[in-house]
């Protein structure tokens, strides 16, 4: 265990497709998340934390490299048809796993991997430990090998039109429909991830390892498929769900781009009653995530590791969940790009107090923060700013970021390109090939009124347009400016 004068342990807890506003710590009380809320009460909650890309592989690659997707190279999720093109991190980009090992840490990656490198990450960083299953399909395959039947998940998929190299292709996409996980809860993937993480903590505490521990714990929920063990599938009744006002509603300000790709195609198929069922299952899955996080935190507390650890919890991206009648992510609206971030510095719970900040932060900052705590070499050309001073209450306004950027370049292949710049009060979305969008987030936090053509907002819109174009140029962006 770490002691005085030694580097702190590092525990990163990453959810999958978790939007910020469903956590009690971030304002919503209809989903029980008491363990995450308790962590927040002894930590700093970053209320304006954003993904650099509303898609899993690009977002996680930024967290691993400190670079934007346009710089690290993993711009899309890719598919079997595209191989690793545009979905793989550049060979010369250093990785968080490598930096932590170089700083003297024992690095253990538990749960989903969802990072593409060449060679694969376990081979590129052989000194790190990877505890699988490293994906949901791998976990389900292991269940099958044990003779355990989990049902037909194809019932939750629908055909969706996507594009690869400008050619239309039909892929299977997760729908908003839900089913109950038919096996005992212990066989659910995220329960396995939590148990593996807890076992790492127990074995580390019982051993004599002189290296501090870096535990990178990657959960799969509440990402589709929309299913959960019975207790969580039935935790919240659909009729009790309080749907946000924009759920199931199409707005004239919504870019037609979204009706053409995944989010709009899938969302247009659901009626209001189905959105209630989708939300109920999503909240149940979030409650399951809370229990899994609680298991990890409880094991840290029991073994004494919690006192000597910096704990960070976030998500790769969010989920529209019916806002503007869109399902999933892959757009620049708040439910898809705003995610939770909680950072607890080392120290006992009694020594830590709750703080919150409204500064603009992103995943590159989280990467920089973990490296700062590890006293590790920073990432070259990183766009991240360490949040350590804020997390420790030593600076209420740092980092002084006025602008925050995000990009999207497609799912299976390059398509539906979007760029975003956001300030604390306004957002500009560049939908390449379609009309742009501009929102006053103070007056219109749900982004229902597109003010791009409003002459009363021309000055600030033009300022953000120029700022976005400069950023795109600095990233070597191959997309046309706005």
């Amino acid at each position: 265990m770490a002691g005085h004068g030694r580097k702190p342990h590092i525990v990163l807890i990453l959810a999958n497709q978790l939007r910020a506003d469903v956590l009690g710590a971030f304002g919503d009380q209809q989903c029980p998340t008491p363990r995450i809320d308790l962590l927040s009460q002894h930590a700093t909650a970053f209320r304006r934390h954003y993904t650099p890309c509303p898609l899993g592989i690009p977002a996680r690659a930024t967290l691993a490299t400190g670079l934007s997707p346009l710089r690290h190279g993993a711009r899309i999720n890719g598919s079997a048809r595209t191989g690793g093109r545009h979905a793989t991190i550049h060979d010369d980009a250093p990785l968080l796993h490598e930096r932590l090992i170089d700083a003297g840490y024992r690095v253990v990656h538990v749960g989903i991997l969802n990072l593409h490198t060449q060679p694969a990450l376990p081979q590129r960083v052989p000194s790190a430990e990877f505890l699988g299953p490293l994906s949901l399909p791998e976990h389900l395959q292991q269940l099958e090998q044990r003779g355990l039947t989990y049902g037909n998940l194809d019932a939750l998929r629908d055909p969706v039109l996507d594009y690869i190299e400008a050619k239309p292709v039909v892929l299977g996409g997760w729908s908003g429909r839900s089913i109950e996980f038919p096996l005992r809860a212990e066989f659910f993937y995220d329960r396995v991830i939590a148990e593996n993480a807890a076992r790492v903590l127990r074995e580390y505490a019982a051993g004599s390892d002189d290296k501090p521990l870096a535990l990178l714990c990657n959960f799969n929920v509440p990402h589709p498929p929309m299913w959960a063990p019975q207790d969580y599938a039935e935790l919240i009744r659909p009729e009790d769900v309080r749907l946000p006002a924009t759920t199931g509603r199409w707005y004239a300000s919504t870019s037609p781009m979204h009706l053409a790709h995944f989010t709009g195609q899938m969302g247009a198929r659901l009626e209001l009653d189905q959105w209630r069922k989708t939300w109920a299952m999503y909240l149940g899955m979030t409650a399951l995530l809370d229990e899994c996080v609680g298991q990890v935190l409880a094991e840290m507390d029991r073994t004494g590791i919690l006192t000597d650890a910096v704990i960070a919890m976030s998500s790769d991206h969010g989920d529209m969940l019916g806002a503007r009648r869109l399902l999933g992510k892959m757009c620049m609206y708040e439910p898809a790009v705003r995610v939770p971030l909680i950072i607890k510095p080392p120290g006992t719970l009694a020594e830590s107090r709750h703080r919150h900040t409204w500064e603009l932060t992103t995943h590159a900052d989280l990467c920089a923060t973990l490296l700062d705590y590890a006293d590790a070499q920073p990432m070259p050309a990183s766009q991240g700013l360490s949040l350590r001073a804020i997390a420790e209450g030593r600076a209420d306004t740092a980092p002084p970021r006025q602008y925050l950027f995000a990009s999207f370049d497609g799912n299976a292949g390059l398509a539906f390109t979007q760029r975003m710049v956001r300030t604390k009060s306004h957002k500009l979305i560049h939908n390449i090939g379609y009309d742009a969008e501009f929102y006053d987030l103070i007056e219109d936090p749900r982004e229902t009124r597109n003010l791009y053509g409003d002459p009363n907002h021309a000055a600030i819109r033009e300022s953000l347009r120029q700022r976005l174009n400069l950023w795109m140029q600095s990233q070597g962006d191959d997309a046309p400016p706005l």
Side-chain angles (χ1 to χ4, degrees), residues 108-112 129-134 189 193 196-197 199-200:
V108 184
H109 183 115
V110 180
I112 62 174
E129 302 168 51
F130 294 86
L131 295 186
L134 298 178
Y189 183 29
I193 294 171
N196 283 342
R199 178 164 51 85
V200 169

Side-chain angles (χ1 to χ4, degrees), residues 36 57 81 128 141-142 155 169 179 227 238 267 296 336 384 400 411 469 481:
I36 296 175
I57 284 177
R81 306 185 195 187
Q141 184 179 34
Q142 291 183 8
V169 296
I179 60 174
W227 67 345
V296 175
N411 177 33
N469 287 340

